[in-house]
Amino acid sequence: MLRRLIILLLIVGLLLGDSELEQQETIFIGMFDDKIGLSLIGYTYNIKLNEMNNLYLGGGTSIVAHTISGGLKHYYKKSNLSIYSVFSLKRMFMDNEYSGTGEFNTVTASFSLEYNLSNRTHINLGGVGVLDDAEGNYEFWGYPFMGLNFRF
């Protein structure tokens, strides 16, 4: 696990060191999210690879779960109403009396719509498919999401 973390940090460091890559930060508020997962508020640091692809690292929280995440956002159509997918790896942490305690990994894929309200404000909605190992065996489940993104 430590080896994977070191490799990930080296890759991210190399990407951030390239001054030609465009970087952007996003704050998400809403009912879940395609990048962060089961969060009511989240933050992502986005790295634009090209016109249609972004890498991101982020974290978010809700009352019952906390998440760290990293993944790839790919646009199929980029306009005032954009269509895109997100593929990500997440680590979720639970620490409450209702859902229990512990942590587990998830792999997610989403299909989403993004409507531009302004240059820095967007409404996102879609669905997410999740594969997790929370109880020692793999489970597949999904959820819808809708929220507001503020980019800066």
Side-chain angles (χ1 to χ4, degrees), residues 1-14:
M1 180 67 182
L2 181 60
R3 182 178 172 199
R4 290 181 188 162
L5 181 61
I6 290 171
I7 291 171
L8 178 65
L9 290 174
L10 285 173
I11 291 170
V12 170
L14 289 172

Side-chain angles (χ1 to χ4, degrees), residues 56-67:
Y56 77 90
L57 296 171
T61 189
S62 66
I63 297 169
V64 296
H66 315 290
T67 307

Side-chain angles (χ1 to χ4, degrees), residues 9-60:
L9 290 174
L10 285 173
I11 291 170
V12 170
L14 289 172
L15 287 173
L16 294 178
D18 187 352
S19 61
E20 293 179 14
L21 294 176
E22 184 179 320
Q23 296 142 8
Q24 186 177 57
E25 299 174 69
T26 305
I27 292 179
F28 171 84
I29 299 172
M31 193 62 169
F32 309 136
D33 182 76
D34 53 351
K35 290 181 181 177
I36 306 301
L38 301 176
S39 298
L40 300 177
I41 186 166
Y43 166 84
T44 59
Y45 183 80
N46 306 292
I47 302 164
K48 184 176 181 179
L49 298 177
N50 57 40
E51 189 62 32
M52 303 300 271
N53 295 298
N54 297 329
L55 283 177
Y56 77 90
L57 296 171

Side-chain angles (χ1 to χ4, degrees), residues 89-151:
L89 300 172
K90 297 177 176 56
R91 182 78 169 173
M92 296 186 72
F93 304 91
M94 311 293 260
D95 188 20
N96 61 72
E97 62 185 68
Y98 301 107
S99 59
T101 61
E103 51 194 60
F104 59 95
N105 300 315
T106 64
V107 177
T108 66
S110 70
F111 188 74
S112 313
L113 298 173
E114 179 178 79
Y115 180 72
N116 299 337
L117 294 175
S118 71
N119 196 26
R120 301 210 176 263
T121 308
H122 309 271
I123 293 177
N124 295 49
L125 62 100
V128 178
V130 179
L131 179 65
D132 75 36
D133 66 351
E135 297 167 353
N137 57 349
Y138 291 100
E139 297 177 335
F140 182 75
W141 49 281
Y143 59 89
F145 70 90
M146 185 170 137
L148 205 52
N149 280 340
F150 301 99
R151 296 181 182 158

Side-chain angles (χ1 to χ4, degrees), residues 61-90:
T61 189
S62 66
I63 297 169
V64 296
H66 315 290
T67 307
I68 56 173
S69 176
L72 174 72
K73 180 177 181 179
H74 172 73
Y75 286 94
Y76 299 105
K77 176 187 167 201
K78 215 168 181 186
S79 64
N80 205 29
L81 179 63
S82 299
I83 301 170
Y84 68 92
S85 288
V86 173
F87 301 95
S88 67
L89 300 172
K90 297 177 176 56

